[in-house]
Amino acid sequence: MSAMTTVAPKVRGGLLDPKQWVRSTPSALRKLDPRLMWRNPVMFIVEIGALFTTALAVADPSVFAWLITAWLWLTVLFANAAEAIAEGRGKAQADSLRKAKTDTVARRLAEQDPGITSPKVATVEVPAPELKRGDYVLVEAGQTIPGDGDVVTGIASVDESAITGESAPVIRESGGDRCAVMGGTRVLSDWVVVEITAEPGKSFLDRMIALVEGSERRKTPNEIALNILLSAMTVVFLLAVVTMQPVAVYSKDYMAAAPDSAVLDGNGVTGIVLVSLLVCLIPTTIGALLSAIGIAGMDRLVQRNVLAMSGRAVEAAGDVDTLLLDKTGTITYGNRRASSFLAVPGVAAAQLADAAQLSSLADETPEGRSIVVFAKESQGLRERAAGELANAEWIAFTAQTRMSGVDLDEHGSVHRIRKGAAAQVAEWVRASGGDPNPRLDDLVDQVSREGGTPLVVAEHRDGETARVLGVVYLKDVVKEGMAERFARLRAMGIRTVMVTGDNPRTAKAIAAEAGVDDFLAEAKPEDKMALIKREQDAGRMVAMTGDGTNDAPALAAADVGVAMNTGTSAAKEAGNMVDLDSDPTKLIEIVAIGKQLLMTRGALTTFSIANDIAKYFAIIPAIFAVIYPGLDALNVMRLASPESAIISAVVFNALVIVALVPLALKGVAYRPGSASALLRRNLWVYGLGGIVTPFIGIKLIDLAVALIPGVA
Amino acid sequence: MGDTTAGVIFIAAMVAALAATYRPLGDYLYRVVTRERHYKVERGIYRVIGARPETEQHWAGYARSVLAFSAVSVLLLYGLQRLQHFLPLSLGFPGVDPYVSWNTAVSFVANTNWQAYSGESTMGHLVQTGGLAVQNFVSAAVGMAVAVVLVRGFARKATDRLGNFWVDLVRITVWVLLPIAAVGAVVLVLGGAIQNFGEVTQAVTATGDTQSITGGAVASQEAIKELGTNGGGFFNANSAHPFENPTSWTNFVEVYLILMIPVALPRTFGRIVGDDRQGYAIIAVMGVLALASITAVLGFESLGNGTVPQAVTAAMEGKEVRFGVEDSSLFAAATTLTSTGAVNSFHDSFTSFGGGVLMLNMMFGEVAPGGVGGGLYGMLVLAVIAVFVAGLMVGRTPEYLGKKIGAREIKLASMYFLVTPVLVLVGVATAFLLPSNMDSLQEAGPHGLSELLYAFTSASNNNGSAFGGFGANTPWFNTALGLCMLFGRFIPIILVLALAGSLARQRPVPASAGTLPTHRPLFVGMVVGVTLVLVALTFLPVLALGPLAEGLQ
């Protein structure tokens, strides 16, 4: 399991690596196509502006005009390159996935009957992409599974590293919850018949490739809303700039003695300067990085081995209020372990441990193994192997008897040991003429109360009456670090609810130990659905994880349903995300990535708007101080000349995009905490930072620009 | 007593007076607009106007009622003016010019009260009392009703019913505006304002000239003029006229009347949404902006600007001696921070920076505290935008009072925000296209631009005050400014009602630890910041060439 501290920025290949920029140049140029550009209204306006200034510069060339024009085009190209870099990072991943996809030839069963007992049957070779849903294919050791599907016959170990990155092979077998296989993975041993469940071109691999490449990205609801706000601001600034012109003409007429310049003449503010002002004011920073932020968010998920079916689901993850977690396998290790021996009065603990160990030697269940190990650890009993006892007869557990044990032939006299559920063992003792110890009920109650499972051990020697020895305390062991994780979720504002089939008493004890906020005991699949519905009716967003087919309806109903990769195809179809690591606590990271996505957009929007203040202080005095010298008081940066001031503002505006690409790709830092704390921090960094940074940046650029001949 | 001390005392007393009525008046308003039972007198009115008080309307129905009512009001008011000479109590004045009639009708129905005429020499008693004063009541009630609907949108869940316009209109007029205005009129009469239906009195002045003095129902109109943030004066001199605003303490009363309802409305908002703290947060935003603005105006006017003002220690040009700098500055700030537009001094004569702040007050969209109703809904729209940006920054789909701010809400809020900048900037720009318009500017250069900018800002934001020297009474300006008033009032109202409809349809999201609290100082600061930055960025270029260029010479 990966470490789950704060979402670590896993950024590969040096973010400011110039090679990345060079590589993305062709793609950035291709994206200049207006048919692609208009989807991003803010940058589309910049492109039109750049076209306009190009025409003006051609008609009336000057160093100033060409410098502005060049930097306007660079602004557009930087924006396109940012998107291209984000896409490029996914592309590398997609290419390696694609390799797994090509060249696979499927062996379709000639007779579409999966009920075969040997792999020696007739097959037809079919290229993988031509497989249809419902086809049965045979895959033998060493071969690649041609498409997503379910194992319907056989059992095999499968290497899924091509997709999950996990090198340890996994077992896939027909029936049950371990039947789903993915195209592109490889069978290592044995053979299986797979029923293809994905339509051609819609396999996991296909979806994953499309996602990481960003080609299937649709705008998410918050992104749409933000785009509307940005468009409205663009309109406001367009208006402010356009309507400034008649006012400028009026002012110039009034102060007719003011000399004409490259910035302002009798016709008003020159076209170059108007476009420069407009581009500086409209929210280009966020406009340029918006789609890169979205693509990078998906990419971050994929890096964490989570496959989201839509950006909408990722965004929804940031809004989750309630998280449903299955107890078994998620909160606890999924199997109970012996944690103490409670002997009845008159029986030594060692005697109980010995009997418990003997009765469990042939018990290969995790519980049975844990008894053997615990007896060794706590009582120093040597771990015996089942084969040592030649004259033993093992009694297997059945659902009817609900007991297991051993009959030992000790020189003709039979020593019977049984362990099992309290009621059944007590019955067994009575049937053998014994009397269950009166203290037994107390012990059993005590164990149940504490959230454990009591296992009663009894013996019966020939010639004696049967007697109870004591109780083995089987404890549901909560995974380490769960309490901290739930505390983190609480800090994010998420309530965790544990879902378990246990009785309420047991559930309560485990819930308290694990630190979840609430629990649902004796839960049936319907109860889970009802709980989701109840939470949603109260206006809460629900996330859950699941793997079994019976989880599918709940996964589909939840706002964020994360299916485990080990789970069934039905579960994977129903959820809107799949975790390739099958780690149920991955939701913590998914939530963090969802929040980061929104935070990055919000922070860069704030930054972008805050930048405008400094740009006004650069450009307004640059344009109008020649008419009203008093306005030079606004030139607080003391920029060298009107031309250099305007160039510096435009250059800053373009370079800030480049400077913020790494932030857009890795996301704004997210630490769980109250919303107020997050807002305060982001307002300081991106609000105040957004006001101050351009004052410094523009001044520095101006110092350099002023050196260019023909500008100062 | 120096101006500064007087100003501080005035402000402190005003804050205390407003704080005293914040809760009782806000709670009273809450009861008026949420009461289930209809009183007998209300039922009588509903029968007369044919309203069905039991049926609640959805947002579009409500909007249709607002528009229909306002359209009929415009027609009636236009007719009253045009046909004045055929009607009684005309004082012998002729029918009013069509351009002026149109402009005035729109102006009073839109709660603007821009006056392209001199009241005492144009309008008779019937038009003043039966037309203009009536609109002073109902246009104010319309604004408050729309604000209440937006608040209902936040408070209600999963419904498309937002109340009944006629019920809201009647209740607000009868139980809020009428009684307070009546008390206010009596107080003003006690203070020396006049109240009669007399004929024009001919008086001989000390120098031997004759002067026509018009009397009328001045005090009663004055009270609702301020209370309803209308601003249309009985006399051309407006609240500078001694019959309207005789003394320094009536001046205090008038400023108080201007502010009392806009200041109390956030309390009503808090009550309706069931969280008083939300009301305190909104009034805090308004208060911060208002105090900053008032301090700025007072400061600029006290410091003066130029040789003469500095010689007399303050900018006294255009100000009444009985009011002085502080009473004038505070009145000016109050009237522009709300949508009142009444004046007791000439804003045209303010220092360039002082006048610039007055413009800025209106450019905020008059939200601090703004007009009756209009201030609250304008501020809530800004809060919605602030919540959206802040919500993104905390990593959650933004929500305000449990309602998600999604694409539709942002679209409506953005369009709301766009309306006045479009009207002001396009208005100013197009005014330059017609050379004869420049004759209306009393002065050339930056001050002339300020006059023009002020006129469009005032009309589009439904303020109604003017830079005195500006010659607004031309067919072009009467028409253009009339359109600005009309669009500046009713497009935002439609957008606000649509926003209310969209919010009411939602089920509220319960607050969790991840929800951004909207009642804390941090959020208050954020809304103040968003308001300042949005407005500054929109209007800075034109302000730079007007008041800034003039002041920085």
Side-chain angles (χ1 to χ4, degrees):
Chain A
M1 201 186 311
S2 57
M4 250 161 285
T5 47
T6 49
V7 177
K10 274 201 221 164
V11 177
R12 297 152 303 163
L15 272 167
L16 282 175
D17 183 356
K19 268 186 249 153
Q20 265 183 331
W21 288 92
V22 173
R23 264 201 306 276
S24 63
T25 308
S27 169
L29 287 168
R30 263 197 308 279
K31 286 171 191 280
L32 286 177
D33 184 342
R35 282 167 301 178
L36 298 174
M37 285 299 293
W38 76 269
R39 276 172 229 230
N40 184 341
V42 178
M43 295 317 294
F44 186 55
I45 297 239
V46 181
E47 188 177 30
I48 294 174
L51 274 173
F52 182 58
T53 58
T54 309
L56 292 176
V58 168
D60 184 12
S62 70
V63 177
F64 174 66
W66 279 113
L67 270 176
I68 294 282
T69 303
W71 278 96
L72 291 182
W73 281 113
L74 280 176
T75 310
V76 186
L77 283 175
F78 288 156
N80 289 350
E83 192 180 276
I85 288 175
E87 287 169 350
R89 283 150 52 92
K91 233 168 222 139
Q93 220 155 347
D95 287 344
S96 69
L97 290 171
R98 219 175 252 124
K99 252 178 234 144
K101 213 179 124 161
T102 47
D103 311 334
T104 307
V105 176
R107 296 171 62 203
R108 191 163 66 191
L109 294 184
E111 292 184 20
Q112 286 284 295
D113 171 19
I116 56 170
T117 50
S118 142
K120 308 269 181 290
V121 292
T123 57
V124 186
E125 300 217 332
V126 183
E130 288 173 20
L131 285 175
K132 285 186 198 63
R133 200 180 181 135
D135 282 352
Y136 294 107
V137 293
L138 176 70
V139 192
E140 290 190 83
Q143 295 174 343
T144 301
I145 295 173
D148 293 358
D150 288 332
V151 174
V152 285
T153 311
I155 176 166
S157 63
V158 179
D159 170 14
E160 295 191 337
S161 60
I163 288 184
T164 64
E166 175 62 57
S167 54
V170 292
I171 300 294
R172 294 285 176 249
E173 59 183 318
S174 60
D177 287 349
R178 298 276 179 273
C179 64
V181 288
M182 286 175 294
T185 57
R186 213 158 52 86
V187 171
L188 293 177
S189 68
D190 307 285
W191 59 271
V192 284
V193 174
V194 174
E195 180 185 357
I196 298 296
T197 54
E199 293 288 347
K202 288 197 179 153
S203 74
F204 244 71
L205 219 55
D206 294 309
R207 274 188 284 186
M208 202 156 162
I209 290 168
L211 277 167
V212 293
E213 283 189 327
S215 58
E216 222 182 55
R217 222 176 67 82
R218 289 216 180 78
K219 285 193 177 123
T220 58
N222 280 315
E223 204 177 348
I224 293 169
L226 181 56
N227 254 318
I228 292 172
L229 184 67
L230 296 179
S231 303
M233 299 188 117
T234 307
V235 172
V236 167
F237 291 129
L238 192 63
L239 216 77
V241 170
V242 169
T243 57
M244 193 179 78
Q245 187 69 312
V247 181
V249 174
Y250 162 85
S251 306
K252 181 76 169 59
D253 279 354
Y254 173 66
M255 288 286 189
D260 288 354
S261 70
V263 173
L264 182 73
D265 57 30
N267 295 322
V269 183
T270 57
I272 303 255
V273 175
L274 276 184
V275 173
S276 304
L277 179 60
L278 177 63
V279 169
C280 284
L281 292 181
I282 61 176
T284 47
T285 314
I286 178 69
L289 297 173
L290 200 52
S291 72
I293 294 170
I295 296 168
M298 294 299 263
D299 191 45
R300 276 202 299 283
L301 265 186
V302 173
Q303 280 180 39
R304 280 163 186 73
N305 268 347
V306 176
L307 206 54
M309 299 306 154
S310 69
R312 184 184 273 261
V314 185
E315 212 174 76
D319 291 344
V320 164
D321 298 291
T322 308
L323 174 55
L324 303 191
L325 287 170
D326 278 330
K327 182 202 76 175
T328 312
T330 306
I331 296 172
T332 62
Y333 281 109
N335 37 49
R336 295 152 218 263
R337 296 183 191 179
S339 72
S340 66
F341 294 118
L342 306 170
V344 293
V347 176
Q351 203 179 349
L352 169 62
D354 184 54
Q357 194 189 45
L358 276 174
S359 68
S360 305
L361 287 177
D363 186 350
E364 283 302 329
T365 64
E367 286 86 355
R369 296 298 313 146
S370 82
I371 293 174
V372 173
V373 172
F374 185 68
K376 179 179 147 198
E377 284 171 358
S378 65
Q379 300 293 331
L381 293 178
R382 189 175 63 85
E383 190 180 332
R384 289 161 288 195
E388 276 178 55
L389 306 163
N391 45 2
E393 189 190 332
W394 304 103
I395 314 292
F397 176 89
T398 69
Q400 283 77 41
T401 62
R402 300 188 64 189
M403 283 189 298
S404 65
V406 64
D407 289 354
L408 295 168
D409 189 349
E410 294 170 348
H411 318 294
S413 146
V414 182
H415 181 197
R416 300 176 187 83
I417 305 174
R418 293 291 181 276
K419 70 168 203 295
Q424 273 69 27
V425 175
E427 185 57 35
W428 178 78
V429 170
R430 269 187 222 102
S432 322
D435 197 13
N437 194 296
R439 283 277 295 128
L440 180 66
D441 285 349
D442 289 346
L443 289 174
V444 167
D445 270 358
Q446 181 198 333
V447 173
S448 304
R449 215 171 28 247
E450 289 170 13
T453 308
L455 212 54
V456 178
V457 181
E459 67 171 1
H460 180 211
R461 289 174 197 274
D462 274 353
E464 295 176 21
T465 53
R467 62 166 185 161
V468 167
L469 294 173
V471 174
V472 180
Y473 186 157
L474 287 180
K475 195 173 171 186
D476 215 351
V477 182
V478 173
K479 289 183 182 173
E480 278 168 38
M482 291 313 285
E484 293 87 80
R485 259 176 233 174
F486 294 134
R488 280 166 49 86
L489 282 167
R490 239 189 316 282
M492 291 175 173
I494 297 170
R495 204 169 64 94
T496 42
V497 180
M498 180 182 87
V499 182
T500 171
D502 291 343
N503 63 54
R505 222 160 44 174
T506 310
K508 190 173 178 197
I510 295 175
E513 188 182 345
V516 294
D517 298 298
D518 203 352
F519 63 88
L520 181 68
E522 286 169 352
K524 296 183 288 295
E526 312 83 271
D527 298 336
K528 217 186 235 182
M529 281 295 282
L531 178 64
I532 292 175
K533 193 110 192 49
R534 215 161 45 238
E535 291 286 316
Q536 286 175 335
D537 284 346
R540 299 195 186 91
M541 299 274 274
V542 183
M544 71 165 285
T545 58
D547 53 5
T549 300
N550 59 12
D551 284 333
L555 278 171
D559 300 288
V560 178
V562 183
M564 299 294 103
N565 190 40
T566 51
T568 59
S569 298
K572 288 200 237 175
E573 283 292 321
N576 42 22
M577 286 186 210
V578 176
D579 178 22
L580 299 174
D581 295 339
S582 302
D583 169 10
T585 56
K586 190 66 83 55
L587 258 167
I588 297 177
E589 285 183 83
I590 297 174
V591 167
I593 289 174
K595 284 190 180 293
Q596 241 188 340
L597 200 61
L598 295 191
M599 282 166 57
T600 310
R601 290 195 196 120
L604 290 184
T605 302
T606 308
F607 187 86
S608 197
I609 305 290
N611 270 204
D612 284 1
I613 297 170
K615 292 172 190 163
Y616 263 136
F617 276 95
I619 297 182
I620 293 289
I623 303 176
F624 295 118
V626 63
I627 308 180
Y628 302 121
L631 286 179
D632 196 47
L634 295 181
N635 182 7
V636 288
M637 288 171 271
R638 309 313 311 159
L639 304 177
S641 71
E643 287 88 348
S644 77
I646 291 162
I647 293 171
S648 303
V650 170
V651 170
F652 175 84
N653 194 52
L655 288 183
V656 83
I657 296 173
V658 178
L660 289 173
V661 164
L663 183 71
L665 294 186
K666 77 170 202 239
V668 166
Y670 171 67
R671 279 175 239 304
S674 75
S676 289
L678 282 175
L679 179 61
R680 185 169 301 116
R681 182 178 176 281
N682 285 330
L683 270 182
W684 277 113
V685 176
Y686 300 98
L688 191 66
I691 293 174
V692 175
T693 314
F695 278 101
I696 301 165
I698 292 174
K699 176 68 188 171
L700 290 177
I701 295 169
D702 182 73
L703 291 175
V705 170
L707 302 175
I708 302 172
V711 168
Chain B
M1 188 162 61
D3 285 331
T4 319
T5 325
V8 169
I9 292 174
F10 187 110
I11 294 170
M14 185 59 64
V15 169
L18 290 170
T21 47
Y22 175 76
R23 282 177 59 168
L25 180 56
D27 291 349
Y28 175 69
L29 274 163
Y30 164 73
R31 283 195 297 277
V32 168
V33 296
T34 56
R35 169 161 47 81
E36 293 281 323
R37 223 159 58 80
H38 300 284
Y39 292 157
K40 220 168 172 179
V41 53
E42 292 169 358
R43 290 192 179 280
I45 301 173
Y46 301 144
R47 258 196 300 282
V48 173
I49 60 177
R52 282 175 304 166
E54 314 300 345
T55 32
E56 293 218 336
Q57 296 167 298
H58 52 85
W59 80 264
Y62 204 103
R64 272 197 295 277
S65 296
V66 170
L67 295 180
F69 176 74
S70 302
V72 169
S73 298
V74 169
L75 286 175
L76 278 178
L77 199 50
Y78 181 82
L80 260 183
Q81 293 175 83
R82 300 284 292 134
L83 304 174
Q84 163 167 258
H85 48 299
F86 298 123
L87 300 169
L89 294 171
S90 69
L91 296 176
F93 294 137
V96 182
D97 165 83
Y99 288 108
V100 174
S101 298
W102 137 263
N103 187 283
T104 307
V106 169
S107 169
F108 277 73
V109 172
N111 196 249
T112 311
N113 299 29
W114 172 268
Q115 291 168 296
Y117 59 91
S118 293
E120 62 268 44
S121 56
T122 316
M123 308 292 183
H125 289 321
L126 185 67
V127 178
Q128 289 270 27
T129 314
L132 303 183
V134 167
Q135 281 311 316
N136 279 352
F137 280 98
V138 293
S139 71
V142 167
M144 290 167 73
V146 171
V148 167
V149 170
L150 179 58
V151 178
R152 284 184 190 136
F154 280 110
R156 294 189 176 183
K157 39 193 93 151
T159 177
D160 61 352
R161 301 289 131 177
L162 288 161
N164 183 307
F165 170 69
W166 308 103
V167 171
D168 293 335
L169 178 73
V170 168
R171 285 191 183 178
I172 291 168
T173 310
V174 173
W175 304 116
V176 181
L177 297 173
L178 274 173
I180 302 178
V183 175
V186 171
V187 172
L188 289 174
V189 167
L190 291 176
I194 61 164
Q195 181 79 5
N196 60 49
F197 279 108
E199 291 293 317
V200 177
T201 312
Q202 300 297 329
V204 181
T205 65
T207 51
D209 296 333
T210 51
Q211 187 182 1
S212 304
I213 299 172
T214 312
V218 175
S220 57
Q221 191 157 330
E222 190 71 10
I224 188 62
K225 166 187 121 183
E226 317 293 12
L227 182 70
T229 61
N230 294 289
F234 190 97
F235 297 101
N236 189 36
N238 209 299
S239 292
H241 196 292
F243 288 176
E244 287 198 15
N245 188 10
T247 64
S248 193
W249 76 263
T250 55
N251 190 59
F252 183 89
V253 171
E254 291 191 4
V255 173
Y256 174 71
L257 284 173
I258 288 174
L259 296 172
M260 68 185 294
I261 291 179
V263 164
L265 274 171
R267 169 73 183 182
T268 313
F269 158 68
R271 287 295 305 272
I272 296 179
V273 300
D275 184 356
D276 292 346
R277 299 169 310 175
Q278 304 293 344
Y280 285 115
I282 292 295
I283 193 65
V285 177
M286 293 173 166
V288 169
L289 287 169
L291 281 176
S293 157
I294 288 169
T295 313
V297 176
L298 198 56
F300 288 130
E301 294 315 296
S302 305
L303 287 171
N305 194 355
T307 327
V308 177
Q310 270 160 16
V312 298
T313 71
M316 273 305 291
E317 187 203 298
K319 297 191 176 80
E320 285 289 303
V321 182
R322 69 179 188 282
F323 294 137
V325 166
E326 80 286 353
D327 278 1
S328 305
S329 304
L330 290 163
F331 196 103
T335 197
T336 49
L337 283 166
T338 61
S339 78
T340 313
V343 293
N344 75 350
S345 57
F346 285 94
H347 296 180
D348 194 29
S349 301
F350 273 47
T351 60
S352 36
F353 289 143
V357 175
L358 299 183
M359 266 187 256
L360 205 55
N361 286 343
M362 294 185 281
M363 287 165 178
F364 286 142
E366 286 160 1
V367 288
V372 286
L376 180 63
Y377 63 67
M379 182 51 86
L380 289 177
V381 168
L382 285 167
V384 162
I385 294 177
V387 157
F388 181 73
V389 177
L392 288 183
M393 274 197 283
V394 302
R396 247 177 106 89
T397 295
E399 59 207 49
Y400 188 38
L401 303 167
K403 298 298 176 79
K404 289 208 159 137
I405 306 303
R408 185 174 159 78
E409 289 75 24
I410 277 296
K411 187 161 74 190
L412 294 167
S414 302
M415 282 165 66
Y416 178 101
F417 178 76
L418 276 176
V419 173
T420 38
V422 169
L423 292 174
V424 174
L425 294 173
V426 172
V428 169
T430 48
F432 283 111
L433 297 179
L434 196 70
S436 63
N437 280 343
M438 295 304 106
D439 300 340
S440 290
L441 307 185
Q442 195 180 36
E443 287 179 61
H447 196 80
L449 174 64
S450 294
E451 290 173 4
L452 187 64
L453 179 61
Y454 195 103
F456 277 98
T457 306
S458 171
S460 307
N461 284 292
N462 301 131
N463 187 277
S465 64
F467 259 21
F470 181 67
N473 193 4
T474 71
W476 195 89
F477 279 114
N478 275 332
T479 311
L481 294 172
L483 288 173
C484 282
M485 290 187 275
L486 196 65
F487 295 145
R489 173 72 168 179
F490 293 104
I491 295 175
I493 281 183
I494 293 168
L495 294 170
V496 163
L497 291 174
L499 179 61
S502 160
L503 292 168
R505 260 200 303 277
Q506 293 186 28
R507 272 171 205 285
V509 181
S512 76
T515 312
L516 177 74
T518 52
H519 61 271
R520 298 268 174 80
L522 183 67
F523 183 72
V524 170
M526 172 104 191
V527 181
V528 171
V530 164
T531 309
L532 283 173
V533 169
L534 282 183
V535 172
L537 293 180
T538 310
F539 291 106
L540 202 83
V542 63
L543 284 174
L545 293 172
L548 281 180
E550 189 187 356
L552 286 172
Q553 267 165 20

